[in-house]
Amino acid sequence: MSAQEFARFSEMKMFMHHIYEFKKGVRNLVLCTMCRTCAELVTERLRGQGIDYLLQDVDGRKVNLYFGKRACLDAVGAFIHKPLNRLTPEEDFMLGTMLGYDIVQQCERFCTRRIQPVARL
């Protein structure tokens, strides 16, 4: 197995684990960054299981794939029209919290980012 094939295999294993957690109610929203080829396979699987998702272009090779509860996707859809490094501190906090990141760390990150200007391209 080549390094590239192994990387794709690892991405797919992680994706399957995220689906498992979503179905068990551990997560309401999942974010995976993956190659476009993997995203095509993954979205086919999500459609087959009736799981809602959104895609966000990262660059010519990668995409961010969000999947989960429709209400969460609707909220995320309001601000993923820009790169994640351009999110406002409030959007960054909301996304991190929705993804289940540690709330204290999210609060600390929010406070730090509120003091610093948001990155601009």
Side-chain angles (χ1 to χ4, degrees), residues 104-118:
V104 173
Q105 288 180 2
Q106 283 304 111
C107 290
E108 291 167 349
R109 179 178 168 89
F110 173 77
C111 291
T112 300
R113 290 194 73 217
R114 284 292 285 163
I115 297 168
Q116 300 171 357
V118 176

Side-chain angles (χ1 to χ4, degrees), residues 14-32 45-47 49-53 66-73 98-99:
M14 181 60 73
F15 166 72
M16 296 305 292
H17 182 71
H18 286 314
I19 285 183
Y20 172 82
E21 288 184 338
F22 171 70
K23 287 187 163 190
K24 292 295 182 182
V26 174
R27 298 176 183 267
N28 291 313
L29 180 68
V30 177
L31 166 59
C32 300
R45 178 86 176 206
L46 291 171
R47 280 191 301 274
Q49 294 193 24
I51 300 172
D52 294 326
Y53 66 91
Y66 301 83
F67 69 89
K69 300 283 183 175
R70 174 50 45 198
C72 296
L73 293 170
M98 291 170 64
L99 290 169

Side-chain angles (χ1 to χ4, degrees), residues 2-116:
S2 72
Q4 186 178 23
E5 289 171 331
F6 183 76
R8 285 189 178 156
F9 176 71
S10 293
E11 286 178 358
M12 296 304 287
K13 276 181 56 176
M14 181 60 73
F15 166 72
M16 296 305 292
H17 182 71
H18 286 314
I19 285 183
Y20 172 82
E21 288 184 338
F22 171 70
K23 287 187 163 190
K24 292 295 182 182
V26 174
R27 298 176 183 267
N28 291 313
L29 180 68
V30 177
L31 166 59
C32 300
T33 302
M34 59 183 61
C35 71
R36 292 182 182 281
T37 304
C38 290
E40 290 174 17
L41 297 170
V42 166
T43 55
E44 184 178 317
R45 178 86 176 206
L46 291 171
R47 280 191 301 274
Q49 294 193 24
I51 300 172
D52 294 326
Y53 66 91
L54 294 173
L55 288 170
Q56 175 190 28
D57 288 330
V58 173
D59 59 29
R61 298 179 322 251
K62 292 186 176 185
V63 296
N64 286 331
L65 170 68
Y66 301 83
F67 69 89
K69 300 283 183 175
R70 174 50 45 198
C72 296
L73 293 170
D74 289 344
V76 167
F79 57 81
I80 64 163
H81 57 277
K82 56 189 166 192
L84 295 181
N85 68 342
R86 294 192 56 212
L87 295 179
T88 66
E90 293 81 7
E91 292 165 339
D92 180 80
F93 177 82
M94 187 166 70
L95 179 59
T97 302
M98 291 170 64
L99 290 169
Y101 297 170
D102 179 89
I103 192 69
V104 173
Q105 288 180 2
Q106 283 304 111
C107 290
E108 291 167 349
R109 179 178 168 89
F110 173 77
C111 291
T112 300
R113 290 194 73 217
R114 284 292 285 163
I115 297 168
Q116 300 171 357

